[in-house]
């Protein structure tokens, strides 16, 4: 027999039951907020044709150039584990003719993404995103609402964050700006890194993605797109800011925020948290009016964001997760075989009524069963012994204050139902 123990791949991890409560809380809250704003879930495959991302995200981006998990499948087709989901959502939107009938389609997704990045705090190779995409409108109020929705989700989870905002122009004004940028870049070429030198010729905006220390002072000196927007983009940006102002949402304009994906036009934004260290972006998003056409579809004006779930959980206040931790409302402690049979009946009956119940099948002493009840953080313990069985009345103990009394099964059912109603928001899906 092989004695090799397997470990997970670097940059991936197991999410164990002890830490999953925070994930459930964030996911449930996200579903609730999306529901409030009229977003419906879409699930696209995790694996897609490589060409979808190469064309959608852009060949000169770090994601496509360096980070994709790409391989040939058994039919010699090049396939890729999705590094993000916007391209997939737009592919599905076009493929399923979801634009038919007009109007706006509002979609959301929750799931894993894959990027072969350098490992560091807050960065995984398999990570999770919660994302939303609104397809079918260029109205600046949609941009503001998209940002508002992301911020509301974070706020409802007790997370403090800052909004960074920019506009990166459109097909009209950006080429003119890129000419100016390219000319300016010529001056610094010999001092820039190899990637920057290549990008200044092929896709100069991507120079702003450079992380090389020595390039940063030079990048700082480059002209910024916000000084070169056409009047339509300027007007759109001013209106986005106006709607944000109306919603009392503060922002910081960051003219070098171009985002690492080629599909963006006009509004781009990030929401960052000071508690995250260098990988501080919790949310990244923006408008991508041209992506549908790039992927062979009709013109569709769209905007969206994706939130890093792994990073979200890192900054989630601990008490939020604790309130969502699984714990039984009732732990059933029994003595002897006849009591065991009755215990199973009671547990079944309560579970069917929606209560969380558990018991220790191995039996053991009352002390050891009580120990398990405490370990699970049970709210109550029900004791079923020979006497209790004979009288069909059971001893119940509320562990919080050690109060103990006797109940019949109908009384127990009534008590648990009224107690559940009074639960202080634990496992509640409603953002307060
Ligand atoms: P992105 O900025 O590449 O945008 O990713 C969005 C968020 O995903 C980041 O802000 C971060 O929280 C999280 N994230 C990215 N890479 C990693 C990683 N290696 N480990 C952990 N978390 C990570 C997009 O993906 C776009 N599709 C967003 C979008 C949607 N734009 C329009 N619609």
């Amino acid at each position: 027999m092989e004695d090799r123990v397997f470990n997970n791949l670097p940059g991936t991890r197991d999410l164990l039951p002890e830490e999953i409560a925070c994930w459930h809380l964030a996911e449930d809250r996200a579903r609730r907020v999306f529901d409030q704003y009229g977003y419906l879930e879409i699930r696209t495959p995790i694996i897609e044709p490589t060409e979808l991302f190469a064309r959608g995200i852009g060949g000169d981006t770090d994601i496509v150039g360096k980070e994709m998990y790409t391989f040939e499948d058994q039919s010699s087709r090049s396939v890729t584990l999705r590094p993000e989901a916007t391209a997939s959502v737009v592919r599905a939107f076009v493929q399923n003719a979801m634009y038919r009938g007009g109007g706006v389609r509002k979609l959301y997704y929750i799931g894993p993404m894959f990027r072969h990045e350098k490992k560091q705090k807050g960065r995984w190779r398999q990570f999770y995103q919660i994302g939303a995409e609104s397809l079918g409108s260029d109205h600046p109020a949609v941009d503001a609402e998209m940002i508002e929705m992301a911020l509301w989700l974070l706020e409802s989870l007790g997370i403090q964050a800052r909004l960074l905002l920019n506009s990166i122009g459109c097909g009209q004004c950006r080429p003119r700006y890129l000419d100016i940028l390219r000319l300016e870049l010529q001056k610094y070429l010999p001092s820039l890194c190899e990637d920057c030198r290549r990008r200044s010729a092929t896709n100069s905006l991507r120079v702003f993605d450079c992380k090389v220390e020595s390039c940063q002072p030079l990048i700082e000196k480059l002209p910024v797109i916000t000084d070169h927007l056409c009047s339509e983009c300027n007007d759109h940006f001013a209106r986005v800011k106006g709607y944000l102002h109306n919603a009392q949402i503060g922002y910081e304009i960051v003219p070098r925020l171009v985002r690492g994906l080629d599909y963006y036009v006009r509004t781009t934004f990030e929401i960052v948290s000071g508690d995250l260290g260098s990988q501080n972006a919790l949310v990244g998003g923006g408008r991508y009016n041209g992506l549908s056409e790039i992927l062979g579809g009709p013109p569709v004006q769209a905007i969206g964001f994706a939130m890093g779930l792994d990073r979200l959980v890192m900054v989630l206040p601990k008490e939020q997760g604790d309130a969502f931790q699984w714990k039984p409302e009732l732990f059933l402690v029994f003595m002897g075989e006849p009591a065991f049979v009755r215990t199973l009946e009671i547990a079944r009956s309560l579970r069917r009524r929606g209560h969380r119940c558990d018991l220790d099948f191995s039996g053991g002493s009352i002390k050891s069963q009580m120990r398990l009840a405490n370990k699970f953080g049970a709210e109550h313990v029900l004791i079923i012994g020979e006497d209790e069985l004979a009288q069909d009345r059971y001893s119940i103990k509320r562990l919080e204050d050690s109060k103990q009394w006797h109940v019949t099964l109908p009384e127990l059912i009534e008590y648990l139902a009224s107690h559940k109603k009074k639960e202080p928001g634990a496992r509640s899906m409603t953002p307060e």
Side-chain angles (χ1 to χ4, degrees):
M1 199 172 78
E2 275 271 357
D3 59 356
R4 188 173 154 203
V5 175
F6 289 98
N7 289 324
N8 57 311
L9 293 168
T12 70
R13 60 189 166 145
D14 303 311
L15 297 170
L16 303 178
E18 289 72 25
E19 55 191 317
I20 213 74
C22 290
W23 290 72
H24 285 171
L25 169 65
E27 289 164 11
D28 282 1
R29 216 31 87 73
R31 287 183 197 283
R32 188 64 170 200
V33 168
F34 289 141
D35 187 53
Q36 288 162 351
Y37 282 81
Y39 282 73
L40 301 180
E41 186 173 2
I42 182 164
R43 295 187 191 188
T44 59
I46 281 167
I47 193 164
E48 295 269 13
T50 303
E51 192 56 20
L52 172 69
F53 302 116
R55 265 211 271 161
I57 301 171
D60 275 317
T61 60
D62 279 349
I63 297 180
V64 173
K66 303 178 185 168
E67 298 167 359
M68 295 210 299
Y69 281 91
T70 296
F71 54 94
E72 269 194 7
D73 70 6
Q74 279 78 349
S75 9
S76 306
R77 182 199 300 260
S78 179
V79 295
T80 293
L81 296 182
R82 64 179 183 192
E84 61 109 48
T86 309
S88 304
V89 169
V90 174
R91 189 228 6 97
F93 179 84
V94 171
Q95 188 179 334
N96 296 288
M98 291 169 78
Y99 45 82
R100 264 199 214 123
V104 175
R105 290 307 295 261
K106 302 198 272 188
L107 307 168
Y108 80 85
Y109 49 86
I110 300 177
M113 311 290 155
F114 303 84
R115 295 183 194 174
H116 197 282
E117 292 192 83
K118 221 164 106 203
K119 271 181 11 204
Q120 73 184 85
K121 186 170 170 242
R123 212 195 242 171
W124 285 269
R125 291 180 178 163
Q126 175 174 339
F127 61 98
Y128 295 79
Q129 282 186 345
I130 293 177
E133 314 288 353
S134 166
L135 301 111
S137 171
D138 192 42
H139 200 296
V142 176
D143 303 38
E145 191 191 75
M146 185 60 79
I147 291 170
E148 173 194 305
M149 184 166 71
L151 285 169
W152 166 226
L153 173 52
L154 293 174
E155 193 190 318
S156 77
L157 289 164
I159 294 168
Q160 306 275 338
R162 281 185 307 128
L163 169 63
L164 312 181
L165 189 65
N166 194 23
S167 172
I168 59 166
C170 65
Q172 296 299 313
C173 51
R174 205 188 302 157
R176 286 201 298 270
Y177 161 72
L178 290 178
D179 284 344
I180 298 167
L181 180 65
R182 230 170 275 130
L183 256 164
E184 201 60 21
L185 275 166
Q186 289 301 318
K187 291 191 197 162
Y188 308 120
L189 270 192
S191 317
L192 288 168
C193 72
E194 205 185 309
D195 267 354
C196 280
R197 284 207 295 271
R198 182 177 46 78
R199 284 168 168 179
S200 25
T202 57
N203 190 346
S204 10
L205 205 60
R206 294 274 69 90
V207 166
F208 290 106
D209 296 338
C210 177
K211 311 270 178 341
V212 174
E213 197 84 20
S214 57
C215 294
Q216 300 312 309
L218 303 175
I219 291 173
E220 281 288 307
K221 290 189 198 153
L222 294 171
V224 292
I225 178 90
T226 27
D227 292 338
H228 300 273
L229 296 177
C230 61
S231 60
E232 286 82 4
C233 285
N234 240 330
D235 177 58
H236 191 273
F237 196 33
R239 292 175 67 202
V240 172
K241 290 185 273 187
Y243 286 115
L244 287 174
H245 185 76
N246 293 347
Q248 297 179 322
I249 293 172
Y251 53 80
E252 208 178 297
I253 301 289
V254 180
R256 287 184 180 78
L257 183 73
V258 296
R259 311 260 309 119
L261 304 100
D262 272 356
Y263 50 58
Y264 289 117
V265 292
R266 293 193 167 166
T267 313
T268 54
F269 60 96
E270 282 189 1
I271 301 175
V272 297
S273 158
D275 298 332
L276 275 171
S278 68
Q279 295 302 310
N280 67 351
L282 271 175
V283 178
R287 201 159 255 298
Y288 50 92
N289 292 349
L291 183 56
S292 169
E293 283 168 283
I294 290 171
L295 300 179
V300 177
Q301 297 167 322
I303 181 164
F305 72 77
M307 185 176 282
L309 192 44
D310 308 69
R311 293 184 191 174
L312 183 76
V313 168
M314 282 168 77
V315 293
L316 198 64
K318 195 180 167 298
E319 51 301 348
Q320 292 263 4
D322 286 349
F324 220 68
Q325 205 77 39
W326 184 87
K327 44 185 186 210
E329 291 165 71
L330 190 73
F331 196 92
L332 297 100
V333 169
F334 61 92
M335 279 158 290
E337 187 60 25
F340 180 52
V341 172
R342 182 69 178 136
T343 300
L344 294 178
E345 277 168 21
I346 296 174
R348 188 180 312 120
S349 155
L350 293 175
R351 285 167 173 159
R352 301 250 156 124
R353 286 177 164 81
H355 298 291
R356 296 186 301 276
C357 301
D358 210 355
L359 62 143
D360 177 5
F361 281 91
S362 64
S365 66
I366 295 221
K367 211 168 150 198
S368 77
Q369 293 185 54
M370 288 296 286
R371 210 177 299 128
L372 208 59
N374 276 309
K375 187 180 153 197
F376 286 155
E379 289 161 14
H380 305 88
V381 164
L382 190 76
I383 298 165
I384 306 149
E386 268 174 37
D387 291 349
E388 283 87 354
L389 200 58
Q391 294 167 18
D392 208 14
R393 265 170 83 76
Y394 310 94
S395 171
I396 181 169
K397 185 174 178 184
R398 193 162 60 198
L399 294 187
E400 187 186 33
D401 55 5
S402 296
K403 188 176 171 228
Q404 202 157 347
W405 68 103
H406 285 88
V407 283
T408 60
L409 183 56
E411 283 166 353
L412 177 64
I413 289 169
E414 202 187 314
Y415 169 75
L416 286 181
S418 68
H419 187 266
K420 201 176 177 83
K421 269 196 221 134
K422 285 191 237 135
E423 273 186 352
R427 299 184 74 80
S428 150
M429 283 179 33
T430 320
E432 269 88 277

